[in-house]
Each structure stands twice: as C-alpha cells, then as structure tokens.
Amino acid sequence: MTEKSTVDPFVRTWEILPSRGYETAWIDLGETGLSARGRAVGLAPEPYWVAYELETGPGFVTRRLAVTIETASAVRTLDLRRDTEGRWTADGRPRPELAGALDCDLGMSPLTNTMPVLRHGLHRGSGEGPRRFTTAWVSVPELTVRSPVQTYTHLARAEHGARIRIESGTFRSDLEVDEHGLVLDYPQMATALTR
C-alpha cells in the first residue's frame, strides 16, 4: 500500500472507445505513489471482462500489476512485478527485456498513463522537452507483455490540468489530464465519464 493519500480515495470511470466498453478504477493517490483496483468490460476484439490491481512505490514506479481477463474461451491471469533493483518478472519468470522500464501500461486502460505524468510533473507543466520511457506494455485481452518506448511531452496547460502528447512508434495522441494527472480525454481511446 502507498503512503497516506493527499486526497480521499476516489472513483474514475472511462468509456473505452476501441473496445466499445467501460473501465472503473478505485484510486488511492499519495504524494509519491498510488494504488488502484479496477474493473473493465469490452466488446472488441471479443467480449471480455478485466479485473486488475496496481501498486506503485516511491516515484510512482510500478511494483505490481495483477490482471485477470475472462473471455468465452479462456480465463487468463498475469502477475507482473518490478523489484527494487529494477528486475521485472511475469508470473515469476524473469523478463530481462523490460530492464530500465519504470511503468506498466495496461492496454485499454487510461489509468496506467498516470504514473509517468505524475513522476515528471507533466500535469503541472514541469519538465523540459519530451520524456522517453521504456514501458512494460500489456495487451488486452491476450495479456502478452512487450517493451515499447513511449514519449510523453507536456504541450500546454488546460482548463483542468494539462495537454500531453504520447507517442510510440507511429502512434501519436494528444490527451488531456486533470490536476491529479488522470486522463480526462484520450482521443480515439478513452473519455472520462466521472471527474
């Protein structure tokens, strides 16, 4: 569990556009870490249910992401962990290709974009220039783990927080986050229904 929260635990719900579904997360946000549990339902590429728990350590660095996904044909689970030495494991097996990654990124979940935003103060306009990160990206509903490089760039202050550009390979999107670093609008990906 993270240190004492700076705000009361709160609930966020997003419409997830590519999956034609929804996600709700119960979030406990502290000064330097967060913990959350979430549930999601999607219809594409096939109907599925997701349950996850996320815990970060100091600096909003991922400690653990535990995910269960249920489809008509299977139930899949993933226990993704990062130790204090920066070593990653997936279901207890070493994942050396994730070395250097500080964040997990659960596909179809806007919550996991929060950690790099908070760590570098991008929601407040802090930090100079683009920030490049290797991430532990988890596909949904397959639960495969890859290690793409993502770039986060603060673009401007916004009415409720900031606009931030995310890039990875040929993908690029300008999203809006609130004063807590949580996604409000992620074009073609997610829209917050609760704030």
Side-chain angles (χ1 to χ4, degrees):
M1 194 62 146
T2 61
E3 77 283 356
K4 183 174 171 32
S5 296
T6 57
V7 296
D8 290 334
F10 54 96
V11 178
R12 264 303 150 77
T13 298
W14 295 272
E15 180 179 10
I16 309 300
L17 305 174
S19 69
R20 300 190 335 255
Y22 297 91
E23 174 184 354
T24 296
W26 294 266
I27 306 159
D28 188 7
L29 182 61
E31 286 290 330
T32 65
L34 69 83
S35 62
R37 60 188 172 88
R39 303 292 180 267
V41 59
L43 297 175
E46 62 180 312
Y48 65 85
W49 291 92
V50 176
Y52 66 83
E53 292 184 3
L54 170 66
E55 182 182 348
T56 76
F60 300 98
V61 174
T62 299
R63 281 187 182 155
R64 182 174 186 244
L65 174 68
V67 187
T68 300
I69 292 186
E70 185 173 353
T71 66
S73 60
V75 175
R76 297 178 188 91
T77 61
L78 174 67
D79 186 8
L80 185 64
R81 295 175 185 252
R82 181 186 184 279
D83 70 16
T84 57
E85 302 298 317
R87 294 179 298 246
W88 288 84
T89 59
D91 298 323
R93 292 185 297 279
R95 296 296 301 263
E97 76 279 15
L98 300 175
L102 300 179
D103 305 302
C104 65
D105 186 358
L106 181 61
M108 304 290 178
S109 175
L111 175 65
T112 51
N113 296 110
T114 300
M115 288 92 77
V117 169
L118 292 175
R119 183 169 49 256
H120 295 286
L122 298 174
H123 59 306
R124 295 188 302 265
S126 303
E128 297 295 322
R131 301 283 187 156
R132 291 174 55 86
F133 313 103
T134 299
T135 58
W137 186 81
V138 180
S139 67
V140 170
E142 302 84 5
L143 293 185
T144 57
V145 182
R146 295 184 311 158
S147 57
V149 173
Q150 298 179 346
T151 302
Y152 282 60
T153 306
H154 172 85
L155 298 177
R157 298 285 298 159
E159 182 180 354
H160 299 288
R163 281 189 20 251
I164 296 167
R165 176 167 292 158
I166 296 179
E167 299 172 275
S168 183
T170 60
F171 174 82
R172 179 161 119 177
S173 186
D174 296 348
L175 55 97
E176 183 178 349
V177 298
D178 68 11
E179 67 275 15
H180 303 295
L182 295 165
V183 171
L184 293 173
D185 183 44
Y186 192 151
Q188 300 179 5
M189 177 61 72
T191 301
L193 301 178
T194 59
R195 298 178 184 216

